[in-house]
Short mmCIF file of all heavy atoms in Angstrom, two decimals:
data_model
loop_
_atom_site.label_atom_id
_atom_site.label_comp_id
_atom_site.label_asym_id
_atom_site.label_seq_id
_atom_site.Cartn_x
_atom_site.Cartn_y
_atom_site.Cartn_z
N PRO A 955 10.37 -6.62 17.02
CA PRO A 955 8.89 -6.74 17.03
C PRO A 955 8.45 -7.87 16.11
O PRO A 955 7.45 -8.51 16.36
CB PRO A 955 8.42 -5.46 16.56
CG PRO A 955 9.53 -4.99 15.70
CD PRO A 955 10.85 -5.34 16.31
N VAL A 956 9.25 -8.42 15.22
CA VAL A 956 8.80 -9.29 14.26
C VAL A 956 9.80 -10.56 14.04
O VAL A 956 9.81 -11.11 12.97
CB VAL A 956 8.39 -8.70 12.79
CG1 VAL A 956 7.33 -7.69 13.04
CG2 VAL A 956 9.59 -7.97 12.27
N ALA A 958 12.91 -10.44 13.23
CA ALA A 958 13.65 -10.24 12.04
C ALA A 958 15.00 -10.93 12.13
O ALA A 958 15.67 -10.89 13.28
CB ALA A 958 13.77 -8.80 11.70
N ARG A 990 4.27 -11.79 17.86
CA ARG A 990 3.10 -11.68 16.91
C ARG A 990 3.27 -12.64 15.68
O ARG A 990 2.27 -12.92 15.01
CB ARG A 990 2.96 -10.31 16.56
CG ARG A 990 3.95 -9.78 15.65
CD ARG A 990 3.60 -8.43 15.09
NE ARG A 990 3.99 -7.30 15.93
CZ ARG A 990 3.95 -5.97 15.62
NH1 ARG A 990 3.29 -5.69 14.54
NH2 ARG A 990 4.35 -5.07 16.39
N ALA A 994 9.79 -12.75 10.23
CA ALA A 994 9.12 -12.00 9.12
C ALA A 994 10.19 -11.51 8.22
O ALA A 994 9.84 -10.64 7.33
CB ALA A 994 8.43 -10.80 9.70
N GLY A 995 11.35 -12.06 8.19
CA GLY A 995 12.33 -11.78 7.10
C GLY A 995 13.67 -11.26 7.59
O GLY A 995 13.87 -11.28 8.82
N ALA A 996 14.52 -10.99 6.69
CA ALA A 996 15.78 -10.44 7.00
C ALA A 996 15.49 -9.09 7.68
O ALA A 996 14.48 -8.48 7.54
CB ALA A 996 16.67 -10.24 5.94
N ASP A 997 16.41 -8.58 8.45
CA ASP A 997 16.34 -7.31 9.16
C ASP A 997 16.59 -6.13 8.06
O ASP A 997 17.73 -5.87 7.71
CB ASP A 997 17.33 -7.24 10.27
CG ASP A 997 17.03 -5.95 11.09
OD1 ASP A 997 16.45 -4.95 10.58
OD2 ASP A 997 17.42 -5.94 12.27
N VAL A 998 15.44 -5.60 7.75
CA VAL A 998 15.56 -4.59 6.60
C VAL A 998 16.44 -3.37 7.02
O VAL A 998 17.02 -2.66 6.30
CB VAL A 998 14.16 -4.00 6.22
CG1 VAL A 998 14.24 -3.09 5.04
CG2 VAL A 998 13.22 -5.16 6.03
N PHE A 1001 19.94 -3.41 5.72
CA PHE A 1001 20.25 -3.49 4.25
C PHE A 1001 21.28 -2.41 3.74
O PHE A 1001 21.96 -2.64 2.88
CB PHE A 1001 18.95 -3.31 3.51
CG PHE A 1001 18.13 -4.50 3.43
CD1 PHE A 1001 18.31 -5.58 4.32
CD2 PHE A 1001 17.25 -4.82 2.36
CE1 PHE A 1001 17.68 -6.83 4.25
CE2 PHE A 1001 16.56 -5.94 2.27
CZ PHE A 1001 16.79 -6.99 3.19
N LEU A 1010 22.69 -15.56 5.49
CA LEU A 1010 21.45 -16.25 5.61
C LEU A 1010 21.34 -17.47 4.65
O LEU A 1010 20.98 -18.59 5.10
CB LEU A 1010 20.27 -15.29 5.24
CG LEU A 1010 18.87 -15.86 5.69
CD1 LEU A 1010 18.82 -16.28 7.12
CD2 LEU A 1010 17.79 -14.77 5.45
N LEU A 1033 7.74 -14.73 6.29
CA LEU A 1033 7.95 -13.90 5.08
C LEU A 1033 9.50 -13.82 4.79
O LEU A 1033 10.25 -13.79 5.58
CB LEU A 1033 7.42 -12.54 5.21
CG LEU A 1033 5.95 -12.42 5.53
CD1 LEU A 1033 5.57 -10.94 5.85
CD2 LEU A 1033 5.10 -12.98 4.31
N GLY A 1034 9.79 -13.74 3.43
CA GLY A 1034 11.20 -13.54 3.01
C GLY A 1034 12.08 -14.58 3.64
O GLY A 1034 11.89 -15.76 3.54
N GLY A 1035 13.17 -14.09 4.28
CA GLY A 1035 14.08 -14.95 4.97
C GLY A 1035 13.52 -15.85 5.96
O GLY A 1035 14.07 -16.95 6.21
N GLU A 1038 12.41 -18.70 4.05
CA GLU A 1038 13.53 -19.29 3.45
C GLU A 1038 14.07 -20.31 4.69
O GLU A 1038 14.59 -21.36 4.40
CB GLU A 1038 14.58 -18.42 3.00
CG GLU A 1038 14.12 -17.80 1.65
CD GLU A 1038 14.98 -16.62 1.25
OE1 GLU A 1038 15.26 -15.72 2.00
OE2 GLU A 1038 15.34 -16.58 0.03
N PRO A 1057 8.10 -11.69 -0.11
CA PRO A 1057 7.69 -10.34 -0.61
C PRO A 1057 8.95 -9.49 -1.10
O PRO A 1057 8.79 -8.33 -1.29
CB PRO A 1057 7.09 -9.66 0.62
CG PRO A 1057 7.79 -10.32 1.78
CD PRO A 1057 8.18 -11.68 1.33
N GLU A 1058 10.03 -10.17 -1.27
CA GLU A 1058 11.29 -9.35 -1.56
C GLU A 1058 11.16 -8.38 -2.75
O GLU A 1058 11.65 -7.22 -2.72
CB GLU A 1058 12.52 -10.29 -1.82
CG GLU A 1058 12.91 -10.97 -0.49
CD GLU A 1058 12.33 -12.14 -0.12
OE1 GLU A 1058 11.17 -12.45 -0.64
OE2 GLU A 1058 12.84 -13.00 0.75
N LEU A 1061 10.42 -4.89 -2.10
CA LEU A 1061 11.50 -4.10 -1.55
C LEU A 1061 12.45 -3.86 -2.58
O LEU A 1061 13.75 -3.42 -2.24
CB LEU A 1061 12.11 -4.83 -0.29
CG LEU A 1061 11.21 -4.77 0.96
CD1 LEU A 1061 11.77 -5.80 2.00
CD2 LEU A 1061 11.16 -3.38 1.66
N ILE A 1063 14.12 -6.08 -4.34
CA ILE A 1063 15.20 -7.03 -4.47
C ILE A 1063 14.61 -8.44 -4.82
O ILE A 1063 13.41 -8.47 -5.10
CB ILE A 1063 15.92 -7.26 -3.06
CG1 ILE A 1063 14.88 -7.48 -1.90
CG2 ILE A 1063 16.75 -6.01 -2.79
CD1 ILE A 1063 15.55 -7.63 -0.57
N PRO A 1065 14.56 -12.75 -3.35
CA PRO A 1065 14.96 -13.52 -2.19
C PRO A 1065 16.47 -13.85 -2.31
O PRO A 1065 17.01 -14.11 -3.33
CB PRO A 1065 14.12 -14.79 -2.41
CG PRO A 1065 12.94 -14.37 -3.14
CD PRO A 1065 13.30 -13.36 -4.13
N GLY A 1066 17.12 -13.64 -1.11
CA GLY A 1066 18.62 -13.82 -1.18
C GLY A 1066 19.05 -14.98 -0.48
O GLY A 1066 20.28 -15.15 -0.16
N ALA A 1067 18.14 -15.91 0.00
CA ALA A 1067 18.65 -17.09 0.82
C ALA A 1067 17.97 -18.35 0.34
O ALA A 1067 17.36 -19.11 1.10
CB ALA A 1067 18.34 -16.85 2.29
N PHE A 1187 20.67 -10.89 -5.94
CA PHE A 1187 20.29 -10.24 -4.67
C PHE A 1187 21.27 -9.07 -4.43
O PHE A 1187 20.82 -7.93 -4.12
CB PHE A 1187 20.25 -11.34 -3.58
CG PHE A 1187 20.18 -10.70 -2.16
CD1 PHE A 1187 18.93 -10.10 -1.88
CD2 PHE A 1187 21.21 -10.68 -1.33
CE1 PHE A 1187 18.85 -9.65 -0.50
CE2 PHE A 1187 21.12 -10.15 -0.09
CZ PHE A 1187 19.92 -9.60 0.36
N PHE A 1203 8.72 1.85 2.63
CA PHE A 1203 8.40 0.77 3.58
C PHE A 1203 8.53 1.47 5.02
O PHE A 1203 7.61 1.35 5.77
CB PHE A 1203 9.50 -0.33 3.50
CG PHE A 1203 9.30 -1.43 4.56
CD1 PHE A 1203 8.49 -2.47 4.46
CD2 PHE A 1203 10.02 -1.29 5.80
CE1 PHE A 1203 8.44 -3.46 5.48
CE2 PHE A 1203 9.98 -2.17 6.84
CZ PHE A 1203 9.17 -3.32 6.59
N PHE A 1204 9.60 2.19 5.26
CA PHE A 1204 9.79 2.72 6.69
C PHE A 1204 8.88 3.95 6.93
O PHE A 1204 8.31 4.20 7.96
CB PHE A 1204 11.24 2.98 7.00
CG PHE A 1204 12.05 1.74 7.21
CD1 PHE A 1204 13.04 1.30 6.38
CD2 PHE A 1204 11.70 0.94 8.27
CE1 PHE A 1204 13.64 0.12 6.58
CE2 PHE A 1204 12.37 -0.25 8.69
CZ PHE A 1204 13.44 -0.71 7.59
N ARG A 1207 5.63 2.87 7.86
CA ARG A 1207 5.42 2.39 9.35
C ARG A 1207 5.56 3.45 10.31
O ARG A 1207 5.20 3.41 11.48
CB ARG A 1207 6.36 1.21 9.46
CG ARG A 1207 5.86 -0.05 8.89
CD ARG A 1207 6.84 -1.13 8.56
NE ARG A 1207 6.09 -2.24 8.05
CZ ARG A 1207 5.65 -2.29 6.80
NH1 ARG A 1207 5.84 -1.25 5.92
NH2 ARG A 1207 5.00 -3.26 6.37
N LYS A 1211 2.53 6.87 13.59
CA LYS A 1211 3.03 7.25 14.90
C LYS A 1211 3.94 8.54 14.94
O LYS A 1211 5.12 8.48 15.24
CB LYS A 1211 3.86 6.08 15.48
CG LYS A 1211 3.18 4.76 15.50
CD LYS A 1211 4.08 3.55 15.71
CE LYS A 1211 4.59 3.02 14.46
NZ LYS A 1211 5.22 1.73 14.51
N1 T1G B 2701 13.09 -5.88 9.33
C1 T1G B 2701 13.06 -4.85 10.23
N2 T1G B 2701 12.03 -4.38 10.86
C2 T1G B 2701 10.86 -4.79 10.46
C3 T1G B 2701 10.65 -5.76 9.37
C4 T1G B 2701 11.91 -6.34 8.88
N3 T1G B 2701 11.80 -7.27 7.87
N4 T1G B 2701 9.30 -5.98 9.19
C5 T1G B 2701 8.72 -5.13 10.06
N5 T1G B 2701 9.66 -4.42 10.90
C6 T1G B 2701 9.31 -3.49 11.95
C7 T1G B 2701 8.53 -2.29 11.38
O1 T1G B 2701 9.43 -1.33 10.91
C8 T1G B 2701 7.80 -1.85 12.67
O2 T1G B 2701 8.75 -1.21 13.43
C9 T1G B 2701 7.48 -3.14 13.32
O3 T1G B 2701 8.35 -4.19 12.91
C10 T1G B 2701 6.03 -3.62 13.10
O4 T1G B 2701 5.94 -3.69 11.71
C11 T1G B 2701 17.11 -12.69 2.59
C12 T1G B 2701 16.48 -10.25 2.03
C13 T1G B 2701 5.73 -8.66 9.30
C14 T1G B 2701 3.44 -8.38 8.11
O5 T1G B 2701 9.22 -7.71 3.63
O6 T1G B 2701 5.33 -7.07 6.03
O7 T1G B 2701 13.94 -11.37 3.96
O8 T1G B 2701 7.86 1.08 13.58
O9 T1G B 2701 3.85 -2.08 11.79
O10 T1G B 2701 1.44 -4.39 10.82
O11 T1G B 2701 15.40 -13.20 1.12
O12 T1G B 2701 5.89 -5.80 9.16
O13 T1G B 2701 7.34 -0.57 15.35
O14 T1G B 2701 9.59 0.47 15.15
O15 T1G B 2701 4.49 -3.60 9.68
O16 T1G B 2701 1.99 -6.33 12.36
C15 T1G B 2701 11.22 -9.58 3.74
C16 T1G B 2701 8.11 -6.78 6.02
C17 T1G B 2701 12.39 -8.85 4.04
C18 T1G B 2701 8.25 -8.25 5.73
C19 T1G B 2701 3.90 -7.28 10.34
N6 T1G B 2701 10.31 -9.42 4.82
N7 T1G B 2701 7.26 -6.62 7.17
O17 T1G B 2701 2.98 -6.30 10.10
O18 T1G B 2701 3.61 -4.65 11.88
S1 T1G B 2701 13.70 -9.07 2.88
C20 T1G B 2701 9.38 -8.44 4.57
C21 T1G B 2701 5.89 -6.89 7.03
C22 T1G B 2701 14.26 -10.62 3.05
C23 T1G B 2701 15.65 -12.51 2.36
C24 T1G B 2701 15.23 -11.13 2.11
C25 T1G B 2701 5.17 -6.50 8.27
C26 T1G B 2701 4.46 -7.73 8.99
P1 T1G B 2701 8.39 -0.03 14.36
P2 T1G B 2701 4.44 -3.50 11.18
P3 T1G B 2701 2.38 -5.42 11.32
#
Side-chain angles (χ1 to χ4, degrees):
V956 295
R990 68 172 93 174
D997 185 337
V998 189
F1001 278 24
L1010 198 49
L1033 298 173
E1038 289 167 315
E1058 285 84 344
L1061 288 165
I1063 53 180
F1187 166 72
F1203 174 89
F1204 285 115
R1207 280 160 181 79
K1211 302 168 268 193

